[in-house]
Amino acid sequence: MMNKTIKNFIMLFVGLFICSAAIVLMINANLGLSPWDVLHQGISNKINVTIGTASILVGVIVVALDVILGENIGWGTLINMFFVGYFMDLIIFSGYIPVADNVFMGIIMLILGMIVMGFGMVMYLSSGMGSGPRDGMMLALQKKSNKPVKVIRTTMEIGALIVGCFLGGKVGIGTLITAFGLGYTIQIVYKICKFKGENVNHRFIVDDLNYMKSNLSKNIK
């Protein structure tokens, strides 16, 4: 049991690191912010906070919506909220991923970033430790609507983009490519890996709390 838990946490952190590398790839493609980062920038400009802080605020709101939609929160949900940003800073500081200096290189990096994102999501979701805020919403909406991942994800990306634009976030060609292409890319990767997110049996925080409560009650008796 303990070995399986350790293995799942390793999968979770490796998957989140891969997702973070994918985000940096798309940022360094230098073709415009992704839809969610357009939203984060718009919020940061409106309420005078950093983009990182705006990302956390959006994460908290999305998690609350996930709960309303019936999606439970796992330890991976909380870890995702904080460690993705930390891993992004670490990767950017390392300088291993270059910044594109032409459109062709930028498009290649953007496409590669979307593909890498798909594989990172498969790995960290397969850990069964709970989905991230946005991925949790994607899974919750997929269960509610029974629509394909590409439709759900694309709708989410476009929604974040529209709100971000109204708030003053900056948009580029890469923003549009990501908005319309990320959902399709993720679905293709899911098919390659034969992964179905709705079939993953996640370990939720409420389950651990109930288990601890049950053991405590037994010890008291």
Side-chain angles (χ1 to χ4, degrees):
M1 180 66 177
M2 182 59 69
N3 288 338
K4 183 179 179 181
T5 301
I6 293 172
K7 178 183 176 182
N8 287 340
F9 269 107
I10 291 173
M11 287 179 63
L12 171 65
F13 276 96
V14 172
L16 292 179
F17 186 85
I18 293 172
C19 287
S20 302
I23 294 171
V24 175
L25 268 168
M26 290 187 281
I27 290 174
N28 285 5
N30 207 24
L31 294 175
L33 296 172
S34 69
W36 285 98
D37 286 329
V38 171
L39 175 60
H40 299 154
Q41 185 186 58
I43 292 173
S44 70
N45 291 338
K46 288 295 182 181
I47 63 177
N48 196 29
V49 296
T50 65
I51 290 182
T53 301
S55 176
I56 293 173
L57 291 174
V58 171
V60 171
I61 293 171
V62 173
V63 166
L65 291 174
D66 292 347
V67 173
I68 293 172
L69 289 169
E71 193 72 13
N72 284 314
I73 299 172
W75 297 108
T77 309
L78 302 181
I79 291 171
N80 184 302
M81 287 174 61
F82 297 101
F83 274 87
V84 167
Y86 172 76
F87 287 149
M88 284 174 58
D89 289 341
L90 188 65
I91 294 168
I92 291 171
F93 180 76
S94 72
Y96 285 127
I97 297 180
V99 178
D101 56 5
N102 60 73
V103 175
F104 178 75
M105 181 180 177
I107 291 175
I108 295 297
M109 288 178 65
L110 192 65
I111 294 172
L112 181 61
M114 290 191 292
I115 295 171
V116 172
M117 175 65 78
F119 283 105
M121 285 177 61
V122 168
M123 176 165 281
Y124 100 77
L125 287 173
S126 295
S127 72
M129 301 302 291
S131 55
R134 296 156 188 82
D135 298 331
M137 176 174 282
M138 180 184 72
L139 293 174
L141 291 173
Q142 185 183 15
K143 292 174 186 176
K144 291 285 186 182
S145 66
N146 201 30
K147 298 291 185 181
V149 169
K150 62 184 179 183
V151 175
I152 300 297
R153 191 72 188 211
T154 300
T155 301
M156 288 174 59
E157 298 293 316
I158 293 174
L161 174 59
I162 291 172
V163 176
C165 287
F166 276 116
L167 293 175
K170 293 182 179 179
V171 179
I173 186 174
T175 309
L176 299 178
I177 293 173
T178 306
F180 290 98
L182 186 59
Y184 285 89
T185 305
I186 290 173
Q187 181 154 316
I188 290 171
V189 174
Y190 276 20
K191 287 183 178 180
I192 292 172
C193 298
K194 297 180 180 179
F195 175 77
K196 293 184 178 181
E198 63 271 21
N199 293 338
V200 176
N201 186 22
H202 285 286
R203 177 179 175 179
F204 299 114
I205 294 175
V206 66
D207 296 329
D208 287 337
L209 293 177
N210 287 334
Y211 177 77
M212 292 170 61
K213 183 179 178 181
S214 177
N215 281 345
L216 183 61
S217 297
K218 289 180 181 178
N219 292 332
I220 291 174
K221 291 180 180 179

